[in-house]
Coordinates of all heavy atoms in Angstrom, one line a residue:
N1 N 9.2 9.4 -11.8 CA 10.0 8.2 -11.5 C 9.9 7.6 -10.1 O 10.3 6.4 -10.0 CB 11.5 8.6 -11.8 CG 11.7 8.8 -13.3 OD1 11.1 8.3 -14.1 ND2 12.7 9.6 -13.6
D2 N 9.5 8.4 -9.3 CA 9.2 7.9 -7.8 C 7.9 7.1 -7.6 O 6.9 7.6 -8.2 CB 9.2 9.0 -6.9 CG 10.7 9.7 -6.7 OD1 11.6 9.0 -7.0 OD2 10.7 10.8 -6.4
A3 N 8.1 6.1 -6.8 CA 6.9 5.3 -6.5 C 6.2 6.0 -5.4 O 6.9 6.4 -4.4 CB 7.2 3.8 -6.0
V4 N 4.9 6.2 -5.5 CA 4.1 7.0 -4.4 C 3.0 6.0 -3.9 O 2.2 5.4 -4.8 CB 3.6 8.2 -4.9 CG1 2.8 8.9 -3.8 CG2 4.7 9.1 -5.5
Y5 N 3.0 5.7 -2.6 CA 1.9 4.9 -2.0 C 1.1 5.7 -1.0 O 1.6 6.6 -0.4 CB 2.5 3.8 -1.2 CG 3.4 2.8 -2.1 CD1 4.7 3.2 -2.1 CD2 3.1 1.8 -2.6 CE1 5.6 2.3 -3.0 CE2 3.8 0.9 -3.4 CZ 5.1 1.3 -3.6 OH 6.0 0.4 -4.3
L6 N -0.1 5.3 -0.8 CA -1.0 5.9 0.2 C -1.5 4.7 1.0 O -2.1 3.8 0.4 CB -2.0 6.8 -0.3 CG -3.0 7.4 0.7 CD1 -2.4 8.4 1.5 CD2 -4.2 8.2 0.0
A7 N -1.2 4.6 2.4 CA -1.7 3.5 3.1 C -2.5 4.0 4.3 O -2.2 5.0 4.8 CB -0.5 2.7 3.7
D8 N -3.4 3.1 4.7 CA -4.1 3.5 5.9 C -3.4 3.0 7.1 O -3.0 1.9 7.2 CB -5.6 2.7 6.0 CG -6.3 3.0 7.0 OD1 -6.1 2.6 8.2 OD2 -7.4 3.7 6.8
A9 N -3.1 3.9 8.0 CA -2.3 3.6 9.2 C -3.0 2.5 10.0 O -2.2 1.6 10.5 CB -2.0 4.8 10.1
E10 N -4.2 2.5 10.2 CA -4.9 1.6 11.1 C -4.9 0.1 10.4 O -4.6 -0.9 11.2 CB -6.4 2.0 11.4 CG -7.0 1.0 12.3 CD -8.5 1.5 12.6 OE1 -8.6 2.7 12.5 OE2 -9.3 0.8 13.0
T11 N -5.3 -0.1 9.3 CA -5.4 -1.3 8.6 C -4.1 -1.8 8.0 O -4.0 -3.0 7.7 CB -6.5 -1.4 7.5 OG1 -6.1 -0.5 6.5 CG2 -7.8 -0.8 7.9
G12 N -3.1 -0.9 7.7 CA -1.9 -1.2 7.1 C -2.1 -1.6 5.6 O -1.3 -2.4 5.1
R13 N -3.2 -1.3 4.9 CA -3.3 -1.7 3.5 C -3.1 -0.4 2.6 O -3.5 0.8 3.1 CB -4.9 -2.1 3.4 CG -5.1 -3.4 4.0 CD -4.4 -4.5 3.3 NE -4.6 -5.8 3.9 CZ -3.7 -6.7 3.9 NH1 -2.6 -6.4 3.3 NH2 -3.7 -7.8 4.5
F14 N -2.8 -0.7 1.4 CA -2.6 0.4 0.5 C -4.0 0.8 0.0 O -4.9 0.0 -0.2 CB -1.9 -0.1 -0.8 CG -0.4 -0.4 -0.5 CD1 0.0 -1.6 -1.0 CD2 0.4 0.5 0.0 CE1 1.4 -1.9 -0.7 CE2 1.9 0.2 0.2 CZ 2.3 -0.9 -0.1
L15 N -4.1 2.3 0.0 CA -5.5 2.8 -0.6 C -5.3 3.2 -2.0 O -6.3 3.3 -2.8 CB -5.8 3.8 0.5 CG -6.1 3.6 1.8 CD1 -6.3 4.9 2.6 CD2 -7.2 2.7 2.1
D16 N -4.1 3.7 -2.3 CA -3.9 4.1 -3.6 C -2.3 4.1 -3.9 O -1.5 4.1 -2.9 CB -4.5 5.5 -3.8 CG -4.8 5.8 -5.3 OD1 -4.4 4.9 -6.1 OD2 -5.1 6.9 -5.6
F17 N -1.9 4.3 -5.1 CA -0.5 4.3 -5.4 C -0.5 4.7 -6.9 O -1.4 4.7 -7.6 CB 0.2 3.0 -5.3 CG -0.7 1.9 -5.9 CD1 -0.7 1.4 -7.2 CD2 -1.5 1.2 -4.9 CE1 -1.5 0.4 -7.6 CE2 -2.4 0.1 -5.3 CZ -2.3 -0.2 -6.8
N18 N 0.7 5.2 -7.4 CA 0.9 5.5 -8.7 C 1.3 4.4 -9.5 O 1.6 3.3 -9.0 CB 1.8 6.8 -9.0 CG 3.2 6.5 -8.6 OD1 3.6 5.3 -8.1 ND2 4.1 7.5 -8.6
R19 N 1.3 4.6 -10.8 CA 1.6 3.4 -11.8 C 3.1 3.0 -11.6 O 3.3 1.9 -11.7 CB 1.5 3.9 -13.3 CG 1.6 2.9 -14.3 CD 1.4 3.2 -15.6 NE 1.1 4.6 -15.8 CZ 1.0 5.2 -17.0 NH1 1.2 4.7 -18.0 NH2 0.7 6.5 -16.9
T20 N 3.9 3.9 -11.3 CA 5.4 3.5 -11.0 C 5.4 2.5 -9.9 O 6.2 1.7 -10.0 CB 6.2 4.8 -10.8 OG1 6.0 5.7 -11.9 CG2 7.7 4.4 -10.6
A21 N 4.8 2.8 -8.8 CA 4.8 1.9 -7.7 C 4.3 0.5 -8.0 O 5.1 -0.6 -7.8 CB 3.9 2.4 -6.6
A22 N 3.3 0.3 -8.8 CA 2.8 -1.0 -9.3 C 3.8 -1.6 -10.2 O 4.1 -2.8 -10.2 CB 1.4 -0.9 -10.0
E23 N 4.4 -0.8 -11.2 CA 5.4 -1.4 -12.0 C 6.7 -1.9 -11.3 O 7.1 -3.0 -11.7 CB 5.8 -0.3 -13.1 CG 4.7 0.0 -14.1 CD 4.9 1.1 -15.0 OE1 5.9 1.8 -14.8 OE2 4.0 1.4 -16.0
H24 N 7.1 -1.1 -10.4 CA 8.4 -1.4 -9.7 C 8.1 -2.9 -9.0 O 9.0 -3.6 -8.9 CB 8.7 -0.4 -8.6 CG 9.4 0.7 -9.2 ND1 9.8 1.8 -8.4 CD2 9.8 1.0 -10.5 CE1 10.4 2.6 -9.2 NE2 10.3 2.3 -10.6
L25 N 6.9 -3.1 -8.4 CA 6.7 -4.2 -7.6 C 6.1 -5.4 -8.5 O 6.1 -6.6 -8.1 CB 5.7 -3.9 -6.5 CG 6.1 -3.0 -5.4 CD1 5.0 -2.6 -4.6 CD2 7.3 -3.7 -4.7
G26 N 5.7 -5.1 -9.7 CA 5.2 -6.2 -10.7 C 3.9 -6.7 -10.4 O 3.5 -7.7 -10.9
Y27 N 3.0 -5.8 -9.7 CA 1.6 -6.1 -9.5 C 0.6 -5.4 -10.3 O 0.9 -4.3 -10.7 CB 1.2 -5.9 -8.0 CG 1.9 -6.7 -6.9 CD1 2.9 -6.5 -6.3 CD2 1.2 -8.0 -6.7 CE1 3.5 -7.3 -5.4 CE2 1.8 -8.8 -5.7 CZ 2.9 -8.5 -5.2 OH 3.5 -9.3 -4.2
E28 N -0.5 -6.0 -10.7 CA -1.6 -5.2 -11.2 C -2.2 -4.5 -10.1 O -2.2 -4.8 -9.0 CB -2.6 -6.2 -11.9 CG -2.0 -7.0 -13.0 CD -1.6 -6.2 -14.2 OE1 -2.4 -5.2 -14.4 OE2 -0.7 -6.5 -15.0
R29 N -3.0 -3.5 -10.5 CA -3.6 -2.6 -9.6 C -4.5 -3.3 -8.5 O -4.4 -3.0 -7.3 CB -4.5 -1.5 -10.2 CG -5.2 -0.5 -9.3 CD -5.8 0.7 -10.0 NE -6.3 1.6 -9.0 CZ -5.7 2.4 -8.3 NH1 -4.4 2.4 -8.3 NH2 -6.4 3.2 -7.4
D30 N -5.4 -4.2 -9.0 CA -6.3 -4.8 -8.1 C -5.5 -5.8 -7.1 O -6.0 -6.0 -6.0 CB -7.3 -5.6 -8.8 CG -6.7 -6.7 -9.8 OD1 -5.8 -6.5 -10.3 OD2 -7.5 -7.7 -10.1
E31 N -4.3 -6.3 -7.5 CA -3.6 -7.1 -6.7 C -2.9 -6.4 -5.6 O -2.9 -6.7 -4.5 CB -2.3 -7.9 -7.5 CG -2.9 -8.9 -8.5 CD -1.6 -9.4 -9.3 OE1 -1.0 -8.5 -9.9 OE2 -1.7 -10.6 -9.3
L32 N -2.3 -5.2 -6.0 CA -1.6 -4.3 -5.0 C -2.6 -3.7 -4.0 O -2.2 -3.5 -2.8 CB -0.8 -3.2 -5.7 CG 0.2 -2.6 -5.0 CD1 1.2 -3.5 -4.1 CD2 1.1 -1.6 -5.9
L33 N -3.8 -3.4 -4.4 CA -4.9 -2.9 -3.3 C -5.3 -3.9 -2.3 O -5.8 -3.6 -1.3 CB -6.0 -2.5 -4.0 CG -5.9 -1.2 -4.9 CD1 -7.2 -0.9 -5.9 CD2 -5.6 0.0 -3.9
Q34 N -4.8 -5.2 -2.5 CA -5.0 -6.2 -1.4 C -3.9 -6.3 -0.5 O -3.9 -7.1 0.5 CB -5.4 -7.7 -2.1 CG -6.5 -7.6 -3.0 CD -7.8 -7.2 -2.4 OE1 -8.1 -7.7 -1.4 NE2 -8.5 -6.2 -3.1
L35 N -2.8 -5.6 -0.7 CA -1.6 -5.6 0.1 C -1.3 -4.4 0.8 O -2.1 -3.4 0.8 CB -0.4 -5.9 -0.8 CG -0.5 -7.2 -1.7 CD1 0.7 -7.2 -2.6 CD2 -0.6 -8.5 -1.0
G36 N -0.2 -4.5 1.6 CA 0.1 -3.3 2.3 C 1.7 -3.3 2.6 O 2.4 -4.1 2.0
P37 N 2.2 -2.3 3.2 CA 3.7 -2.2 3.4 C 4.2 -3.5 4.1 O 5.3 -3.9 3.6 CB 3.7 -1.0 4.4 CG 2.7 -0.2 4.1 CD 1.5 -1.0 3.8
V38 N 3.6 -4.2 4.9 CA 4.1 -5.4 5.5 C 4.3 -6.5 4.4 O 5.0 -7.5 4.6 CB 3.3 -6.0 6.7 CG1 3.3 -4.9 7.8 CG2 1.8 -6.4 6.4
D39 N 3.5 -6.5 3.3 CA 3.6 -7.5 2.2 C 4.8 -7.2 1.3 O 5.2 -8.1 0.7 CB 2.3 -7.5 1.5 CG 1.2 -7.8 2.4 OD1 1.2 -8.9 3.1 OD2 0.2 -7.0 2.5
V40 N 5.2 -5.9 1.2 CA 6.3 -5.6 0.2 C 7.6 -5.0 0.8 O 8.7 -5.0 0.1 CB 5.7 -4.6 -0.9 CG1 4.5 -5.1 -1.6 CG2 5.3 -3.2 -0.2
V41 N 7.6 -4.6 1.9 CA 8.9 -4.1 2.6 C 9.4 -5.3 3.3 O 8.8 -5.8 4.3 CB 8.5 -2.9 3.5 CG1 9.9 -2.4 4.2 CG2 7.8 -1.9 2.6
V42 N 10.6 -5.5 2.9 CA 11.3 -6.9 3.4 C 11.5 -6.8 5.1 O 11.1 -7.7 5.7 CB 12.6 -7.1 2.7 CG1 13.4 -8.3 3.6 CG2 12.5 -7.3 1.3
D43 N 11.8 -5.6 5.5 CA 12.1 -5.6 7.0 C 10.9 -5.1 7.8 O 11.1 -4.7 8.9 CB 13.3 -4.7 7.2 CG 13.2 -3.2 6.7 OD1 12.3 -3.0 5.9 OD2 14.1 -2.4 7.1
M44 N 9.8 -5.0 7.1 CA 8.6 -4.7 7.8 C 7.5 -5.8 7.7 O 6.3 -5.6 7.5 CB 7.8 -3.4 7.2 CG 6.8 -2.8 8.1 SD 6.0 -1.3 7.3 CE 7.5 -0.2 7.4
G45 N 8.0 -6.9 7.8 CA 7.1 -8.2 7.7 C 6.3 -8.6 8.8 O 5.6 -9.6 8.8
T46 N 6.2 -7.7 9.8 CA 5.3 -8.1 10.9 C 4.4 -6.9 11.2 O 4.6 -5.7 10.9 CB 6.1 -8.4 12.2 OG1 6.7 -7.2 12.6 CG2 7.0 -9.5 11.9
V47 N 3.2 -7.2 11.8 CA 2.1 -6.1 12.2 C 3.0 -5.4 13.2 O 2.8 -4.1 13.2 CB 1.1 -6.8 12.8 CG1 0.0 -5.7 13.3 CG2 0.2 -7.6 11.7
R48 N 3.7 -5.9 14.2 CA 4.4 -5.1 15.1 C 5.4 -4.0 14.5 O 5.3 -2.9 15.0 CB 5.1 -6.0 16.0 CG 5.9 -5.3 17.1 CD 6.7 -6.1 18.2 NE 7.3 -5.4 19.1 CZ 8.6 -4.7 19.0 NH1 9.1 -4.8 17.8 NH2 9.0 -4.1 20.0
T49 N 6.1 -4.4 13.5 CA 6.9 -3.4 12.8 C 5.9 -2.3 12.1 O 6.5 -1.2 12.3 CB 7.8 -4.2 11.7 OG1 8.5 -5.3 12.4 CG2 8.8 -3.1 11.1
W50 N 5.0 -2.7 11.6 CA 4.1 -1.7 11.0 C 3.6 -0.7 12.1 O 3.7 0.5 12.0 CB 3.0 -2.4 10.2 CG 1.9 -1.2 9.8 CD1 0.6 -1.2 10.2 CD2 2.1 -0.2 8.9 NE1 0.1 -0.1 9.5 CE2 0.9 0.5 8.7 CE3 3.2 0.2 8.0 CZ2 0.8 1.6 7.8 CZ3 3.0 1.2 7.1 CH2 1.8 1.9 7.0
S51 N 3.1 -1.2 13.3 CA 2.7 -0.4 14.4 C 3.9 0.4 14.9 O 3.6 1.6 15.3 CB 2.2 -1.3 15.5 OG 1.2 -2.0 15.2
D52 N 5.0 0.0 15.0 CA 6.2 0.8 15.4 C 6.5 1.9 14.4 O 6.7 3.0 14.8 CB 7.6 -0.1 15.5 CG 7.5 -1.0 16.6 OD1 6.5 -0.9 17.5 OD2 8.4 -2.0 16.6
T53 N 6.3 1.6 13.1 CA 6.4 2.6 12.0 C 5.5 3.6 12.2 O 5.7 4.8 12.1 CB 6.3 2.1 10.7 OG1 7.5 1.0 10.6 CG2 6.6 3.1 9.5
V54 N 4.1 3.3 12.4 CA 3.0 4.3 12.6 C 3.3 5.1 13.8 O 3.2 6.4 13.7 CB 1.7 3.5 12.7 CG1 0.6 4.5 13.1 CG2 1.4 3.0 11.4
A55 N 3.8 4.5 14.9 CA 4.0 5.4 16.1 C 5.3 6.3 15.8 O 5.1 7.4 16.3 CB 4.4 4.4 17.2
A56 N 6.3 5.9 15.2 CA 7.4 6.8 14.8 C 6.9 8.0 14.0 O 7.4 9.2 14.2 CB 8.5 6.1 14.1
V57 N 6.1 7.7 12.9 CA 5.6 8.8 12.0 C 4.7 9.7 12.9 O 4.8 11.0 12.7 CB 4.8 8.3 10.9 CG1 4.2 9.3 10.0 CG2 5.8 7.5 10.1
R58 N 3.9 9.3 13.8 CA 3.1 10.0 14.6 C 3.9 10.9 15.4 O 3.5 12.1 15.6 CB 2.1 9.3 15.4 CG 0.8 8.7 14.8 CD 0.0 8.1 15.7 NE -1.3 7.9 15.1 CZ -2.2 6.9 15.2 NH1 -1.8 6.0 16.1 NH2 -3.3 6.8 14.6
A59 N 4.9 10.5 16.0 CA 5.8 11.1 16.9 C 6.6 12.3 16.3 O 6.7 13.3 16.7 CB 6.6 10.3 17.6
R60 N 7.0 12.1 15.0 CA 7.9 12.8 14.3 C 7.3 13.6 13.2 O 8.0 14.5 12.7 CB 9.2 12.0 13.8 CG 10.0 11.5 14.9 CD 11.3 10.9 14.3 NE 11.2 9.5 14.9 CZ 11.9 8.5 14.6 NH1 12.5 8.4 13.5 NH2 11.8 7.3 15.2
G61 N 6.1 13.2 12.7 CA 5.6 13.8 11.5 C 6.1 13.1 10.3 O 5.3 13.1 9.3
D62 N 7.3 12.6 10.2 CA 7.7 11.9 9.0 C 9.0 11.1 9.3 O 9.6 11.3 10.4 CB 8.1 12.9 7.9 CG 9.2 13.9 8.2 OD1 10.0 13.5 9.2 OD2 9.2 14.9 7.6
V63 N 9.2 10.2 8.6 CA 10.4 9.2 8.7 C 11.0 8.9 7.4 O 10.4 8.7 6.3 CB 9.9 7.9 9.4 CG1 11.0 6.7 9.4 CG2 9.3 8.0 10.8
V64 N 12.3 8.9 7.4 CA 13.1 8.5 6.1 C 13.9 7.3 6.4 O 14.7 7.6 7.5 CB 13.8 9.8 5.5 CG1 14.6 9.4 4.4 CG2 12.9 10.9 5.2
R65 N 13.9 6.4 5.6 CA 14.7 5.3 5.9 C 15.1 4.5 4.6 O 14.4 4.6 3.6 CB 14.2 4.3 7.0 CG 12.9 3.6 6.5 CD 12.4 2.6 7.4 NE 12.1 3.1 8.8 CZ 11.2 2.9 9.5 NH1 10.3 2.1 9.2 NH2 11.1 3.3 10.7
R66 N 16.3 3.8 4.7 CA 16.6 2.8 3.6 C 16.0 1.5 3.9 O 16.0 1.1 5.0 CB 18.0 2.8 3.4 CG 18.5 4.1 3.0 CD 20.0 4.0 2.5 NE 20.5 5.2 1.8 CZ 21.6 5.8 2.1 NH1 22.4 5.3 2.9 NH2 21.8 7.0 1.5
S67 N 15.5 0.9 2.8 CA 14.9 -0.4 3.0 C 15.1 -1.3 1.8 O 15.7 -0.8 0.8 CB 13.4 -0.2 3.3 OG 12.7 -1.3 3.6
M68 N 14.4 -2.4 1.9 CA 14.3 -3.3 0.7 C 12.9 -3.7 0.4 O 12.1 -3.9 1.3 CB 15.1 -4.7 0.9 CG 16.6 -4.5 1.1 SD 17.5 -3.9 -0.4 CE 17.5 -5.4 -1.3
H69 N 12.5 -3.6 -0.8 CA 11.0 -3.9 -1.3 C 11.2 -5.2 -2.0 O 12.1 -5.5 -2.7 CB 10.5 -2.9 -2.2 CG 10.0 -1.7 -1.4 ND1 9.3 -0.7 -2.0 CD2 10.0 -1.4 -0.2 CE1 8.9 0.2 -1.2 NE2 9.4 -0.2 0.1
R70 N 10.1 -6.0 -1.9 CA 10.1 -7.4 -2.6 C 9.0 -7.2 -3.7 O 7.8 -7.0 -3.4 CB 9.7 -8.5 -1.6 CG 9.6 -9.8 -2.0 CD 9.4 -10.9 -1.0 NE 10.3 -10.9 -0.1 CZ 10.0 -10.6 1.2 NH1 8.8 -10.1 1.7 NH2 11.0 -10.6 2.2
R71 N 9.4 -7.6 -4.8 CA 8.5 -7.7 -6.0 C 7.6 -8.9 -6.0 O 7.9 -9.9 -5.2 CB 9.4 -7.8 -7.3 CG 10.1 -6.4 -7.6 CD 10.8 -6.6 -8.9 NE 11.6 -5.5 -9.2 CZ 13.0 -5.2 -9.0 NH1 13.6 -6.3 -8.4 NH2 13.4 -4.1 -9.2
K72 N 6.6 -9.0 -6.8 CA 5.7 -10.1 -6.8 C 6.5 -11.5 -7.1 O 6.3 -12.5 -6.6 CB 4.7 -9.9 -7.9 CG 3.7 -10.9 -8.0 CD 2.6 -10.7 -9.1 CE 1.6 -11.7 -9.2 NZ 0.6 -11.4 -10.3
D73 N 7.6 -11.3 -7.9 CA 8.3 -12.5 -8.3 C 9.3 -12.9 -7.2 O 10.1 -13.9 -7.5 CB 9.1 -12.3 -9.6 CG 10.2 -11.3 -9.5 OD1 10.5 -10.8 -8.5 OD2 10.7 -10.9 -10.6
G74 N 9.4 -12.2 -6.1 CA 10.2 -12.5 -5.1 C 11.6 -11.8 -5.0 O 12.3 -11.8 -4.0
S75 N 11.9 -11.2 -6.1 CA 13.2 -10.5 -6.2 C 13.0 -9.2 -5.2 O 12.0 -8.6 -4.9 CB 13.6 -10.1 -7.5 OG 12.7 -9.2 -8.0
E76 N 14.2 -8.8 -4.7 CA 14.3 -7.6 -3.9 C 15.1 -6.5 -4.4 O 16.0 -6.7 -5.2 CB 14.9 -8.1 -2.6 CG 13.9 -9.1 -1.8 CD 14.6 -9.7 -0.4 OE1 15.6 -9.1 -0.1 OE2 14.0 -10.4 0.1
F77 N 14.8 -5.3 -4.1 CA 15.5 -4.1 -4.6 C 15.7 -3.1 -3.5 O 14.7 -3.0 -2.6 CB 15.0 -3.5 -6.0 CG 13.5 -3.1 -5.9 CD1 13.2 -1.8 -5.8 CD2 12.4 -4.0 -5.8 CE1 12.0 -1.3 -5.7 CE2 11.1 -3.5 -5.7 CZ 10.9 -2.2 -5.7
P78 N 16.7 -2.2 -3.5 CA 16.8 -1.2 -2.4 C 16.0 0.0 -2.8 O 15.9 0.4 -4.0 CB 18.4 -0.9 -2.5 CG 18.8 -1.1 -3.9 CD 17.8 -2.4 -4.3
V79 N 15.5 0.7 -1.7 CA 14.7 1.9 -1.8 C 15.0 2.8 -0.7 O 15.6 2.5 0.4 CB 13.2 1.6 -1.8 CG1 12.8 0.8 -3.0 CG2 12.7 0.9 -0.5
E80 N 14.8 4.2 -0.9 CA 14.8 5.0 0.2 C 13.4 5.5 0.4 O 12.8 5.8 -0.6 CB 15.7 6.3 0.0 CG 15.7 7.2 1.1 CD 16.6 8.4 0.9 OE1 16.2 9.4 0.3 OE2 17.8 8.3 1.4
V81 N 12.8 5.3 1.6 CA 11.4 5.6 1.7 C 11.3 6.8 2.6 O 11.9 6.9 3.7 CB 10.7 4.2 2.5 CG1 9.2 4.6 2.7 CG2 11.0 3.0 1.6
A82 N 10.4 7.6 2.2 CA 10.0 8.9 3.0 C 8.5 8.7 3.3 O 7.8 8.7 2.4 CB 10.2 10.2 2.2
I83 N 8.2 8.6 4.6 CA 6.9 8.3 5.1 C 6.4 9.6 5.8 O 7.1 10.1 6.7 CB 6.7 7.1 6.1 CG1 7.4 5.9 5.4 CG2 5.3 6.8 6.5 CD1 7.6 4.7 6.3
T84 N 5.3 10.0 5.4 CA 4.7 11.4 6.0 C 3.3 11.1 6.5 O 2.6 10.4 5.6 CB 4.7 12.5 4.9 OG1 6.0 12.8 4.5 CG2 4.1 13.7 5.6
A85 N 2.9 11.6 7.6 CA 1.5 11.3 8.0 C 0.6 12.4 7.5 O 1.0 13.7 7.5 CB 1.5 11.4 9.6
I86 N -0.6 12.0 7.1 CA -1.6 12.9 6.6 C -2.9 12.5 7.4 O -3.3 11.4 7.3 CB -2.0 12.7 5.1 CG1 -0.7 13.0 4.3 CG2 -3.0 13.7 4.7 CD1 -0.9 12.6 2.9
E87 N -3.3 13.5 8.2 CA -4.7 13.2 8.9 C -5.9 13.9 8.1 O -5.8 15.1 7.8 CB -4.7 13.6 10.3 CG -5.5 12.8 11.2 CD -5.2 13.0 12.6 OE1 -3.9 13.2 12.9 OE2 -6.1 13.0 13.4
T88 N -6.9 13.1 7.9 CA -8.1 13.6 7.1 C -9.4 12.9 7.7 O -9.4 11.5 7.8 CB -8.0 13.5 5.7 OG1 -9.1 14.0 5.0 CG2 -7.7 11.9 5.1
G89 N -10.4 13.6 8.1 CA -11.5 13.1 8.5 C -11.2 12.1 9.7 O -12.1 11.1 9.9
G90 N -10.3 12.5 10.6 CA -10.1 11.5 11.8 C -9.3 10.3 11.3 O -9.3 9.4 12.3
R91 N -8.9 10.1 10.2 CA -8.2 9.0 9.7 C -6.7 9.3 9.5 O -6.5 10.2 8.8 CB -8.9 8.5 8.4 CG -8.4 7.2 7.9 CD -9.5 6.9 6.7 NE -9.1 5.6 6.2 CZ -9.6 5.0 5.2 NH1 -10.5 5.8 4.4 NH2 -9.4 3.8 4.7
L92 N -5.8 8.5 9.9 CA -4.4 8.8 9.7 C -3.9 8.0 8.4 O -4.1 6.8 8.3 CB -3.6 8.4 10.9 CG -2.1 8.6 10.7 CD1 -1.8 10.1 10.7 CD2 -1.4 7.9 11.9
L93 N -3.4 8.7 7.4 CA -2.8 8.0 6.2 C -1.5 8.3 6.2 O -0.9 9.3 6.7 CB -3.7 8.7 4.9 CG -5.2 8.7 4.9 CD1 -5.7 9.4 3.8 CD2 -5.7 7.2 5.2
M94 N -0.7 7.3 5.5 CA 0.6 7.5 5.3 C 1.1 7.1 4.0 O 0.4 6.4 3.3 CB 1.4 6.5 6.4 CG 1.0 6.9 7.7 SD 1.6 5.7 9.1 CE 3.2 5.3 8.7

């Protein structure tokens, strides 16, 4: 039932996600792969906010926060987001 996303910390783009994530947001897979957190998280609408989030996750290892997500149709819904850093091959994923 939980939406799960994998994003590249450097580019801020989604690399993968489960079907629940796409369904909650109303996007097809190919559409959602063109987006990232700054496109769907209402209060993360700037690159600076994404950079701040990456820095917080790097410093703490994980971050949990309440937020609002925006669907493709523009409607918004509340979520609790748990972000964890995964480093693989010198690449930080979240």
